[in-house]
Amino acid sequence: MGPKIPGGVSAYTHTHVLAQAHLLAWTLVVVMVEAEVQENYSPECREFMYMGTPPLGLEDKALKKICQRYNGKPRFVTLYDTFDHIPVYSAYTFKRSDGAKMVDVPWMYEPQLSAVSALKEMQPFPEGYIHRSFEDAQAVLEDYSNTVIFERGHLNPEEHQAELSDKAATYTLTNVVPQVREFNIGPWKTHEHTIRRRLNNYCRGTAYVVTGVTTSGNMIRRHNIDRVAIPAYLWSAYCCIDYDHNAPFQERTKFPAYAAHGLNEREKSEVLEMSVQQLENFLKNNFSGPIM
């Protein structure tokens, strides 16, 4: 296995993980073509990304980096498309849990995307029509109110968090995309369960997860106006350096990093697991331009 480096990880394993991490970063670049260049995340927000490094890309004023804060603490980070009104991806650290739903909180919005608010953390949607002051930059509850086919699907799912505040923080519309109901409660939910069980059982350290989308140009419309982009695919990738090397072979082969994608449709929507390299290749072949 080669010489040991600090932390007990072999040089070979460490090199392999770094290579996987670079592939993951490139995967995100493929998806987030024309990403906005902003000031660096603060150290506390970088903790949700492997080696504290956010993906890099080109400039686009429609894409905003959000450090998602709730109850005075950062909970995860999101790259948000203010034109299509959906997150391009959410990046978070996995927390061991039994997967039980334990919170009942109102849906929230992100004041940081509003030009009229100085608040720096997510807030419950106000009553009445006050949301019109910020709906140009983000989705609002009304956008999802008359959709029969689609549900609000989390990118950072509640079941991958343990503390009540971390679970509650996932209920912001800047963390959800329109998912076909059958896909959301079927193959994608099964995938979230699978990842939770795998990381619960075999990841010994911190697991970094990134979940995102590709789009095809279809939109949810409200009052004859395009409002929310409908994902064509959802994809996800994780990285866990410190894992159980005595895990069953079929699980051990899915460390230190692995990935998956699924078609956001009623039929033929199975979620396929694959290497990060395979996900990168898939996104290169199935992504033809900016998410706009």
Side-chain angles (χ1 to χ4, degrees):
M1 290 299 292
K4 294 287 184 177
I5 63 174
V9 182
S10 71
Y12 172 83
T13 301
H14 184 67
T15 301
H16 180 59
V17 170
L18 290 179
Q20 291 280 9
H22 286 306
L23 284 174
L24 179 55
W26 172 246
T27 295
L28 295 178
V29 171
V30 172
V31 175
M32 57 177 261
V33 170
E34 301 197 3
E36 182 179 18
V37 176
Q38 296 185 329
E39 294 183 4
N40 291 332
Y41 284 114
S42 65
E44 60 181 357
C45 298
R46 286 178 174 271
E47 292 181 0
F48 303 108
M49 298 169 286
Y50 179 68
M51 297 181 70
T53 305
L56 302 176
L58 303 175
E59 292 188 8
D60 188 318
K61 293 181 179 179
L63 300 181
K64 304 293 185 183
K65 296 175 182 174
I66 304 173
C67 185
Q68 303 271 18
R69 298 177 181 273
Y70 180 76
N71 274 357
K73 288 180 55 179
R75 305 293 173 173
F76 60 102
V77 296
T78 295
L79 183 71
Y80 193 79
D81 189 331
T82 58
F83 184 88
D84 275 356
H85 303 143
I86 59 169
V88 177
Y89 70 78
S90 286
Y92 59 95
T93 52
F94 173 84
K95 313 298 192 307
R96 290 176 178 80
S97 75
D98 60 7
K101 181 179 175 64
M102 300 175 61
V103 296
D104 184 13
V105 295
W107 282 97
M108 291 174 279
Y109 73 101
E110 184 50 67
Q112 296 181 70
L113 297 178
S114 171
V116 298
S117 176
L119 297 173
K120 297 300 182 182
E121 67 175 47
M122 61 185 72
Q123 299 290 324
F125 273 94
E127 296 182 0
Y129 296 95
I130 300 177
H131 66 265
R132 289 180 178 174
S133 65
F134 55 78
E135 67 178 358
D136 285 348
Q138 60 187 293
V140 295
L141 292 173
E142 193 176 352
D143 292 324
Y144 287 88
S145 61
N146 293 318
T147 59
V148 177
I149 298 175
F150 302 103
E151 294 186 341
R152 290 165 286 200
H154 292 64
L155 296 189
N156 174 7
E158 177 188 350
E159 76 165 89
H160 286 187
Q161 303 298 327
E163 295 183 5
L164 294 181
S165 290
D166 285 334
K167 287 176 173 287
T170 67
Y171 285 87
T172 169
L173 289 196
T174 51
N175 179 50
V176 302
V177 296
Q179 285 189 35
V180 173
R181 184 176 188 275
E182 289 81 355
F183 176 62
N184 184 33
I185 66 174
W188 193 252
K189 179 58 66 177
T190 298
H191 169 69
E192 292 174 340
H193 291 338
T194 297
I195 299 306
R196 177 179 58 79
R197 289 193 297 268
R198 180 180 300 154
L199 296 179
N200 269 351
N201 292 334
Y202 306 116
C203 179
R204 298 294 179 253
T206 301
Y208 300 89
V209 187
V210 185
T211 300
V213 303
T214 68
T215 58
S216 61
N218 295 324
M219 303 285 292
I220 290 176
R221 295 174 61 85
R222 177 163 60 88
H223 303 317
N224 294 321
I225 298 174
D226 288 343
R227 282 293 303 166
V228 181
I230 300 169
Y233 284 88
L234 271 74
W235 58 267
S236 188
Y238 65 81
C239 177
C240 172
I241 299 174
D242 183 9
Y243 63 95
D244 183 359
H245 290 262
N246 295 316
F249 177 77
Q250 289 300 322
E251 296 295 338
R252 195 165 68 247
T253 59
K254 298 175 175 63
F255 287 93
Y258 219 57
H261 68 61
L263 182 64
N264 187 30
E265 296 284 355
R266 285 181 171 176
E267 301 177 351
K268 299 180 180 180
S269 57
E270 64 177 325
V271 175
L272 302 176
E273 285 199 278
M274 62 195 67
S275 69
V276 176
Q277 176 70 68
Q278 289 172 317
L279 176 61
E280 175 194 347
N281 293 336
F282 170 81
L283 292 173
K284 285 181 179 178
N285 294 328
N286 288 273
F287 188 77
S288 59
I291 301 178
M292 296 183 67

